[in-house]
Structures are given as structure tokens and as C-alpha cells.
Amino acid sequence: MSSKAQKADHLIQINNLEIEGFSDEQWHPIIKGVNLTLKRGQVMGLIGESGAGKSTLGLAAMGYTQPGCRITGGEILFEGTNLASLRDSEKQKFWGNRMTYVAQSAAASFNPAHRLIDQTTASAIRFKIKNESDAKKDAKKLYKALNLPNPESIGDRYPHQVSGGQLQRVMTAMAMSPRPDLIVFDEPTTALDVTTQVEVLTAMKNIVKEFNTAAIYITHDLAVVAQMADVIKVLRYGNEIEEAKTRKMLTAPKEEYTKSLWSVRSLEKKPVEAQKPILEVKNIDAAYGKFKVLHNVNISVPRGSTVAVVGESGSGKSTTARVITGLLPQLSGSIEFDGAVLPKRLEDRTKEQKRIIQMIYQMADTAMNPRQTVREIIGRPLEFYLDLKGKEKEDRILQLLEMIELDGQFIDRLPSELSGGQKQRICIARALAADPEFIICDEVTSALDQIVQEGILKLLMRLQKELNLTYLFITHDISTVRAISDHVVVMNLGEVVEQGIKSDVFSPPHPDYTELLLSSVPEMDPDWLNNLNKKRD
Amino acid sequence: MHPVLKTVLGRLGLGLATLFIVSIIIFSAIEMLPGDFGQAILGQAATEETVAAFRRELGLDEPPYIRYLQWVGGAIQGDLGTSFSGRNASGTDRSREVIDLIAPRLWNTLFLASVTAIIAVPVSLFLGITSALYRNSVYDRTINTTTLTTISFPEFFVAYILILLLASLYPIFPSLANVDASTPLNERLYRSALPAFTLTLVIVAHMMRMTRAAIINLLASPYIQMARLSGASQTEVILKHALPNAWAPIATVIAFNLAYLVVGVVVVEVVFVYPGVGQLMVDAVTSRDIPVVQGCALIFAVTYILLNLIADIIGIITNPRLLHPK
């Protein structure tokens, strides 16, 4: 093959790329000599955990580096032009023209001050690909193709006036509007609910196929990438682990690391014997101001078990937790703990009633005072609830650290000196410090990488066995539910749709919503999305 | 009712409430000033009976709340009372209405403030936007250092340097800015040039740096990265994507500086012998002319509240979330 023909075939060729990022007063390598070749019309999935450099590499394919990053070696050839050697003003001719970008958070990535249609068409008009009226007509067609409601008028709205899933589709329309050769999708469905994710994935997949656009699809979700990509590249710590065709990668990964990513979901919990309920939520109605969010919620939690509450955003699962803890007094109904009714308001509960119910939060980062050391963070409930002081307290802190599998030297660390998983472990230790019987885990693993998630879940299960703890586990992630729960409560729009033993809830027949929810969870099968859409049509 | 109108009316109500509280504070603060007007005017030699009679004549013997209500009641109708000065022990009364004392001075102050604002606000915005545009360039650093220097010097120092340069060494402008009601506009502008220039140098730094900071703060937003990745040039990014979202903090700092131009420029007035309201108030404090002090303080309060209200409203109408509710 002549070199010219090869050029035409290869849209992007990245050779031995090195990128550094500036933090803690020095430059650190982020991408350490990665190669990447993308053909026209091909979709490549970039996967890896946080810190793998997948977003940095995806943006680098456009010749873009985030502020605080720099390219220190290698080349990025786009149809033979080395983007790495161009100045920003020269790269602007490619951005929004030949290549476009779809960001993770559409809500943050649309300018709040401008109407959607103006933002959708800006690039196509800027590069004179279409005139204004054609660009707008085309945008409306794209909105329609992406299954947006009211495609004729939705563009007249401002970003805050439409939902997250719709915004993500508008952003895809925006990326498609100049008919680029390449679209970089940067975790475009990570922030969406599963049922919305299915729609957005389908829309993106179809439109990329229709216009034969090449794409780089960045995600940490293997099942999602399996639907979208022709080839998959696995990254870790800025190095390439391996690359293969999607089907081959899913069935026969070569590297140990890839296999470990694939096997994360092998966690399985042995069912515990049914015991008397420790906590009963009875006929709860609750509201934020005039806006009613919970309608007659009933949940029963057997002692020593894990009850998973699943649902999408707005389903009322976190509100239920707030009512149980007394942070949001209910309008009607009651919360019974060991048969005794708990006062509605946190202020009216005794110290003992507060002690036995503890909570662990999704964002370990913001749930800890950044100026307190681990000693102070864990020591505070020991002092407050159990009156421990001095050596006794110190010994107990060390004991708790041992329980969460952290070394005693962590006692003097600040939260900023801990990794994401370690932070969440400290939050678990803080909850345990009160010596509780019942712990509410609110999306505790949602912000963590899969391998770290597995560690946290295993820890929680071990602690449950050792300390006979009861968990109310709030999550939107069905695979986590499958892994760790005994009982499952499905919530939607502030109501309990279904509840029962895990095996019952997960086996048909299902109520409509449970069916929709369960069928929307992506599977590792590359044909899953196509089959699902066939079935739904 | 449109939610923006509702919010604006709400803010207006709050402004009035603030004004009410401020009026109480002004009144009480002056109540607590040491010394006595009667004693001060009549001198140490005056007998207690004379002082008491004098106080009675001025109404100073009434209980404070009555005097407060009289004062506020008058102020609402535009009557700030009668000045204490012009009276003396012999009983002759050449005192004037406070409003007549303040009005011409206030007009002068507003004139100087407007001239300064007309120069300073566009200059600050321009410098702020361009220095954000060319962040960390030589231009940006020069602008930053220069404006920081001018704000770091005391006002009187800047004023005297300008007099030295532009009135003494190169006599372009007069060093005295003594205007009165009969001064024609062009003469007024000419005479006010140096004080206006001084004030411009004093306030530009603050507004310019805030504009720059507000824009640069937004440059880290995901939507700015998005704009860059859709091919927008640096100029377009700043003007079309950052600036429309930066008006609220910019308006606040402009309001703050405009308020300063009305209420805080007494030093500059003194240096240039400009007959503004600041000097009037200082004189009134020295002579314990309580009605004038109260009148000035109240007008200053109104200025502050009004300008901040306007800044608030700008913040509201440039926020699409409020302007275009769901």
C-alpha cells in the first residue's frame, strides 16, 4: 500500500505521545508514550480507571490539552497534519469543524447565557459550513433524529430549562452539526440514569453510524463501551495495556489487568437468615416545602441484613434516608426502630437514638472536614457518643483503622492526603466509631473506580458479618445491588414499586418499572443494545 | 407576575427597610456624639440658664424618639430641618434650611462623580477585558502593576502629583476647582478635570481587577472549554462566552466604586477646594451642626442603597435562570 493511501485510510495517528500535568509544584507524566490509530468511520473505546489518562488522551486526539497540561513528546497526525506542533489559533480551524467534542456533564458544558439552538449551530456557521437558516433547519433535523421532544422548539430554550438526558442529546446534535470527521465522546452517559442512558446511547450510536463519523468513546463502564466501540483500548497510569476488536477484547482479554477489570462483578453475597425487622418505615409522606417527594413509603429492614434501595434520580431514595435519620421530618407516618417509634426531628432524638443510626455518604471528599486529621474525624464520635478520652480513645481509633484495613500511620493524615478509596474507608470508620446497629450507605461507591468499589463492598460485607450490622444501601447501580443485597426495594417517583428478597425481585414477572430499570442496565454483550431496542420496538 | 419583577420589588422593599434601619443608626450615632451644640456655640462663659433656653429653642430638650420621628417625617417630605449654624447667643437667626445647604453641594458632587464614572467605568471594563484576553502577557502585567500603583498611593498624594505635573510644570489644567452654580458647563468640566482624573486613577484598579478576575474565574468552566473546542477564538470566548456570565460581580464592584465617588471623596475635594458635599459634612461635624450631618449621612445612605440595588437588578436580569424560568 502506498503511503498516501494509508494516510487517507488513517484519520488519526498518534505516535509515542507524552503529556505532562502540573500539580504540587512540579510536572508529572500523565500519558507515557501511547500510540493510537483511528480509521475513518471507526469507533474506538478508551477505558481505564480514573487517573488512567483516558480523557487526556481523548482530548489530545483533537490536539487539545487542558490548562496545566503540556505535550512533551510524540506527534498527533490528523490526516497528516501534526496537531502537536500547531499553535492554538491554528488548531481552532480544526476544532468545531473537522472534529468535535461531547463532554461528560452537558449541564456544565452548555453556556447558561445562550439558547440551545444558537450553541448547536455556532460551529457550523462559524466555519461557513452552512448558513444560519440551513444550520438551524439541520439542527432541528438532528434533534428529531436524536429523539428529542418538540424538535422544532426545544432549541429556543436555555440549558437550565431542559433535563440532563435531553441536554446530552442536544450536545450530540451540536457535535454532529458541522458534520465532523471525528467526535470525541468523554464519558457522555456517566451522569445519566440507566433508563435515560439507553436512549442517549442508542441515539449516539445511530447518528455516528448514519454519517460514518469516526469517534473516540471514553468511559470507565465496560458494558457501555461494548455497545459503542469497534475496537477497545485499555489504559492504566498513562500506559496502554492492550488493544483489540471489541468482541475479542470482551471474550479473551490478554492482560491480567484487563481480566481484573472484567471480573470485578463476581462479588456474591450469601443470603442471611430472616430475622425480626430492626427498622420499619411505615406510611411515610414527606415533602420539600410544597413539593411532595415521598408518597406512602413502607420499608421493612430485617436485622443483620442488607436492604438495597434502588431507583433513578428523583425516585426519593435519598429523601427516605433523610427521613429515617430525622434530617427531614415526615409529614405523616412513622419510623420504628426495634419496635419503638423514633421522634420525627433529629433535635428531639436522644443521643442513644442518634448513635445507633449512622450514615455514610457518596462524596467522602465533602463529608469530611478538610482541616481535621483522621484522629479528629474518627475521635469525635468516640468522644461524643462513648465518652472515650486520652489513651482509650487513641487505642480505639487505631483499632477502627485496623478494622477498615488501614495502617496506624494514617492517624495523622488529612483527608487531602488520602486516595478516594481510603477517604471512604475513613468515613466507614467514623460511622463505626459510634458503635451503631444500623448504617445507611448513600451511594457510597458511586464515585469510586470499579476495583476500589469492590474493595469497599467486600469491607462492608465483612464488617456486617463481624459486627452483626444492618445496612440500608441506597444506590442506582443494579450490579452493586446484585452483589451485596439480601432484600431489594425498587423506588420510582417517590413511591415503592416493589420490594422483597433479592432473588424474587430479580426474577420475572416484574412490575413495568422494575422491568424497564432492569432491562436498561447495560450488559457486556456487544449486541445487547441492538437486541434491547429490537425487543422494545 | 414575572418572577424577575417579583424579585426586583422584593429587593426594593429590602432597600427601604435597610434605609429605615440606617436612619435609626445615623440618629442614634449622632445622639451619642460627645459635647453639646449649645455649649459649643455659647462658649464656656454661658450660664446654664442661657444654654438651657438655647436648647429649648432648637428643640434639643425633647426626648430622642420625638426628635427622631420629627426628623424622619420631615426627611420623607424633603425637609431635612434647619441648620443650627447662623444662630448665636444674641438671638439673631440667619440659619438656613439644610436642604438649601446640601442641594448645590450635592449637585457638584454628583457632577464630579458622573464625569469620573463616564471616564473610569468604560476604561476599567476595557482594561479588565483586554487583560483577561491577554492574560499573563506583558500588557496584562503592565496594566496590573500600573493600576495597583495608583490605588496604593493615598488620594492626596496622587492629587498633588497631578497638580505638580498638569497644573504647575505643564500648566494645562487649573489646580483649583472652585465651581459654583453660575459656572458654565465647559468651564465646569475644565475646572473639574484634575479631581476627576485623580478619582479615576483611584477607582480604576478595583473595577479593572474585578472585571479581569470575574472573567478569568469563568475561564475554568467546562462551557468555556467546550467553546474553545468548538473553534471559538480567544476574543469570542471572552466576549461571547465569559462576559455575559460575569456581569453580576462586575456590576457589584462598579456600584461600590460609584458610591465611593459620592460619599468618600472629601480628601480630593479638600485638595482641589472643590465645593462638594463631603466638605460640607466635615465642616458640619466640626461645628456640631447636627441637622446638616444627619442630612448628609442620610443622602449617603440613599446613594449606597440605590447603587447596590441597581447592581443587584443587573445581576438578576443577566442571569438566564431568573430571566427565563423553567
Side-chain angles (χ1 to χ4, degrees):
Chain A
M1 198 190 287
S2 77
S3 73
K4 214 172 187 180
Q6 200 170 1
K7 245 183 210 166
D9 192 33
H10 288 176
L11 185 66
I12 288 203
Q13 183 146 11
I14 292 178
N15 295 322
N16 209 12
L17 184 69
E18 286 172 33
I19 296 180
E20 291 182 345
F22 193 78
S23 65
D24 300 330
E25 305 293 307
Q26 51 179 326
W27 291 94
H28 303 275
I30 298 178
I31 299 289
K32 305 164 185 167
V34 172
N35 298 311
L36 183 152
T37 306
L38 190 67
K39 293 179 194 154
R40 283 186 181 282
Q42 193 179 35
V43 178
M44 174 180 282
L46 287 183
I47 64 166
E49 300 175 280
S50 50
K54 51 191 194 301
S55 284
T56 310
L57 182 61
L59 284 168
M62 300 178 73
Y64 182 86
T65 46
Q66 268 170 330
C69 293
R70 63 178 185 194
I71 298 173
T72 50
E75 44 181 20
I76 304 157
L77 299 174
F78 179 80
E79 292 183 332
T81 311
N82 184 7
L83 297 177
S85 68
L86 295 185
R87 282 179 293 137
D88 270 6
S89 56
E90 293 167 313
K91 285 187 275 195
Q92 273 161 20
K93 296 183 190 107
F94 292 91
W95 296 339
N97 183 6
R98 308 294 308 282
M99 45 182 79
T100 55
Y101 178 69
V102 176
Q104 173 170 0
S105 167
S109 298
F110 273 108
N111 193 319
H114 303 299
R115 293 181 192 277
L116 292 173
I117 190 121
D118 295 328
Q119 302 194 54
T120 308
T121 55
S123 294
I125 296 171
R126 178 181 305 119
F127 293 106
K128 304 202 167 55
I129 296 165
K130 295 186 185 77
N131 66 32
E132 192 177 330
S133 84
D134 285 349
K136 286 193 173 169
K137 265 185 223 155
D138 179 62
K140 288 171 188 170
K141 265 190 221 157
L142 289 169
Y143 292 157
K144 192 149 184 259
L146 287 158
N147 270 328
L148 281 160
N150 310 319
E152 285 298 319
S153 62
I154 193 168
D156 296 332
R157 294 174 165 235
Y158 284 85
H160 67 275
Q161 293 174 313
V162 304
S163 76
Q166 291 169 359
L167 269 187
Q168 205 71 50
R169 276 176 277 172
V170 174
M171 185 165 278
T172 306
M174 175 170 156
M176 201 45 94
S177 163
R179 297 294 183 275
D181 298 289
L182 169 73
I183 302 184
V184 176
F185 292 97
D186 193 354
E187 305 250 13
T189 61
T190 306
L192 303 178
D193 285 322
V194 279
T195 51
T196 320
Q197 174 171 275
V198 169
E199 294 166 25
V200 176
L201 281 179
T202 309
M204 288 191 305
K205 188 171 180 168
N206 291 344
I207 207 152
V208 167
K209 207 163 147 194
E210 185 183 338
F211 296 108
N212 195 31
T213 314
I216 292 180
Y217 196 100
I218 301 159
T219 181
H220 65 274
D221 190 330
L222 303 165
V224 165
V225 85
Q227 313 310 316
M228 299 297 293
D230 304 316
V231 286
I232 294 178
K233 190 193 272 294
V234 183
L235 294 173
R236 190 187 198 193
Y237 304 140
N239 292 309
E240 174 177 333
I241 300 293
E242 63 177 314
E243 181 185 322
K245 290 244 164 73
T246 300
R247 279 174 203 280
K248 196 170 168 218
M249 183 69 105
L250 291 175
T251 48
K254 271 188 259 165
E255 301 294 322
E256 275 310 308
Y257 176 69
T258 318
K259 284 179 194 157
S260 78
L261 280 178
W262 267 224
S263 65
V264 160
R265 288 299 175 214
S266 56
L267 223 57
E268 187 79 46
K269 190 185 187 218
K270 276 191 206 137
V272 294
E273 275 176 45
Q275 291 191 29
K276 269 210 239 158
I278 182 170
L279 181 103
E280 283 190 277
V281 174
K282 289 186 172 168
N283 310 322
I284 292 290
D285 280 2
Y288 291 114
K290 281 185 188 147
F291 187 67
K292 211 163 164 211
V293 279
L294 292 184
H295 311 274
N296 195 26
V297 169
N298 286 284
I299 295 173
S300 172
V301 183
R303 184 181 284 276
S305 69
T306 301
V307 173
V309 182
V310 282
E312 300 182 288
S313 42
S315 63
K317 52 193 194 304
S318 288
T319 309
T320 308
R322 287 173 61 87
V323 171
I324 294 172
T325 51
L327 289 169
L328 179 73
Q330 66 266 33
L331 294 176
S332 61
S334 65
I335 310 283
E336 289 179 16
F337 196 91
D338 259 343
V341 175
L342 287 177
K344 281 185 188 182
R345 288 148 43 88
L346 187 62
E347 295 85 357
D348 301 334
R349 295 192 185 174
T350 63
K351 210 189 235 188
E352 184 64 12
Q353 284 169 332
K354 289 180 191 165
R355 183 185 65 77
I356 48 179
I357 301 180
Q358 291 294 313
M359 198 155 169
I360 309 171
Y361 301 88
Q362 174 173 4
M363 304 303 281
D365 258 327
T366 50
M368 289 190 286
N369 185 335
R371 302 231 166 215
Q372 286 185 343
T373 60
V374 167
R375 177 185 280 109
E376 290 166 288
I377 292 168
I378 303 179
R380 154 85 190 157
L382 290 176
E383 221 173 287
F384 179 76
Y385 288 118
L386 307 169
D387 279 326
L388 292 186
K389 287 197 176 66
K391 174 130 185 12
E392 247 187 321
K393 185 171 98 176
E394 188 85 0
D395 287 346
R396 179 67 182 150
I397 296 175
L398 290 171
Q399 206 181 352
L400 284 164
L401 283 177
E402 204 187 307
M403 284 165 74
I404 55 162
E405 296 153 15
L406 286 182
D407 198 80
Q409 53 148 337
F410 280 92
I411 196 164
D412 288 315
R413 298 256 189 115
L414 290 167
S416 57
E417 295 164 330
L418 303 169
S419 73
Q422 287 165 349
K423 279 180 205 163
Q424 198 56 287
R425 280 169 193 261
I426 298 298
C427 288
I428 294 173
R430 178 175 60 183
L432 291 178
D435 209 1
E437 297 172 32
F438 182 81
I439 298 181
I440 299 175
C441 305
D442 190 356
E443 303 269 10
V444 289
T445 56
S446 305
L448 303 172
D449 283 325
Q450 304 205 4
I451 292 177
V452 184
Q453 272 187 27
E454 192 190 19
I456 296 285
L457 293 178
K458 274 186 179 155
L459 173 70
L460 286 171
M461 281 156 76
R462 203 199 77 218
L463 291 169
Q464 178 167 47
K465 224 189 254 168
E466 288 173 12
L467 306 169
N468 192 28
L469 293 168
T470 311
Y471 295 140
L472 187 74
F473 203 96
I474 295 168
T475 183
H476 68 274
D477 184 7
I478 308 289
S479 47
T480 307
V481 176
R482 284 187 202 276
I484 57 120
S485 69
D486 301 302
H487 288 246
V488 179
V489 179
V490 181
M491 288 188 75
N492 185 34
L493 303 173
E495 291 181 44
V496 172
V497 178
E498 187 183 10
Q499 65 178 312
I501 303 171
K502 177 170 64 176
S503 54
D504 290 350
V505 173
F506 279 140
S507 48
H510 302 294
D512 287 351
Y513 180 72
T514 313
E515 175 66 37
L516 177 71
L517 192 66
L518 293 180
S519 68
S520 299
V521 180
E523 287 165 20
M524 295 280 266
D525 170 12
D527 297 320
W528 168 80
L529 186 64
N530 292 341
N531 293 341
L532 177 74
N533 282 317
K534 260 183 227 156
K535 213 162 63 185
R536 286 192 183 174
D537 289 338
Chain B
M1 190 161 44
H2 195 278
V4 168
L5 192 63
K6 216 165 143 184
T7 319
V8 168
L9 287 178
R11 292 295 154 95
L12 206 62
L14 276 178
L16 286 175
T18 315
L19 195 58
F20 170 67
I21 295 167
V22 168
S23 73
I24 293 177
I25 294 174
I26 292 171
F27 189 82
S28 332
I30 287 166
E31 275 305 289
M32 282 182 267
L33 279 183
D36 175 76
F37 177 74
Q39 194 78 58
I41 283 292
L42 302 175
Q44 294 294 325
T47 61
E48 264 181 46
E49 291 85 50
T50 341
V51 174
F54 190 67
R55 285 172 58 84
R56 201 159 39 246
E57 193 196 326
L58 294 179
L60 288 175
D61 57 338
E62 301 265 14
Y65 73 94
I66 298 266
R67 279 183 286 130
Y68 171 75
L69 288 177
Q70 282 170 346
W71 174 61
V72 166
I76 292 171
Q77 302 164 49
D79 174 16
L80 291 169
T82 311
S83 166
F84 283 174
S85 63
R87 296 165 194 262
N88 57 31
S90 60
T92 50
D93 187 354
R94 291 194 308 271
S95 61
R96 298 164 60 193
E97 288 294 309
V98 172
I99 202 82
D100 296 334
L101 278 172
I102 293 182
R105 297 294 199 102
L106 184 64
W107 162 240
N108 288 342
T109 293
L110 291 178
F111 178 79
L112 182 59
S114 312
V115 172
T116 311
I118 288 169
I119 306 168
V121 172
V123 165
S124 318
L125 287 178
F126 177 79
L127 292 178
I129 292 169
T130 48
S131 61
L133 199 55
Y134 304 108
R135 181 157 50 137
N136 300 333
S137 67
V138 178
Y139 173 81
D140 179 27
R141 278 180 219 151
T142 314
I143 299 288
N144 264 302
T145 321
T146 316
T147 51
L148 207 57
T149 312
T150 61
I151 204 179
S152 305
F153 287 122
E155 290 156 44
F156 70 87
F157 184 77
V158 176
Y160 284 130
I161 293 289
L162 286 180
I163 290 178
L164 179 69
L165 286 175
L166 298 176
S168 183
L169 291 177
Y170 305 96
I172 305 168
F173 296 109
S175 63
L176 293 185
N178 50 340
V179 295
D180 58 49
S182 62
T183 319
L185 179 66
N186 54 353
E187 182 66 18
R188 224 171 218 279
L189 282 171
Y190 175 64
R191 289 194 196 171
S192 315
L194 281 188
F197 194 22
T198 308
L199 290 172
T200 302
L201 287 179
V202 172
I203 64 169
V204 157
H206 197 188
M207 292 192 286
M208 170 260 155
R209 289 172 75 84
M210 192 64 203
T211 307
R212 179 181 180 275
I215 290 176
I216 286 178
N217 187 26
L218 289 175
L219 291 184
S221 326
Y223 62 82
I224 295 295
Q225 174 176 325
M226 195 67 208
R228 282 190 207 290
L229 283 172
S230 47
S233 66
Q234 180 74 352
T235 318
E236 197 186 330
V237 165
I238 301 270
L239 293 182
K240 205 174 148 201
H241 293 276
L243 194 57
N245 295 296
W247 282 121
I250 294 175
T252 308
V253 76
I254 289 178
F256 180 82
N257 279 286
L258 293 188
Y260 162 81
L261 286 179
V262 175
V263 310
V265 297
V266 63
V267 173
V268 175
E269 285 177 8
V270 170
V271 172
F272 292 100
V273 201
Y274 188 85
V277 81
Q279 261 201 63
L280 176 70
M281 183 166 178
V282 171
D283 291 344
V285 170
T286 326
S287 62
R288 293 202 170 71
D289 193 345
I290 291 161
V292 177
V293 177
Q294 284 175 337
C296 290
L298 198 63
I299 283 171
F300 290 169
V302 171
T303 311
Y304 253 100
I305 291 169
L306 206 61
L307 285 167
N308 279 297
L309 192 70
I310 293 172
D312 254 10
I313 292 172
I314 291 178
I316 293 167
I317 58 176
T318 56
N319 184 341
R321 282 167 196 280
L322 296 169
L323 201 57
H324 309 279
K326 280 192 179 183

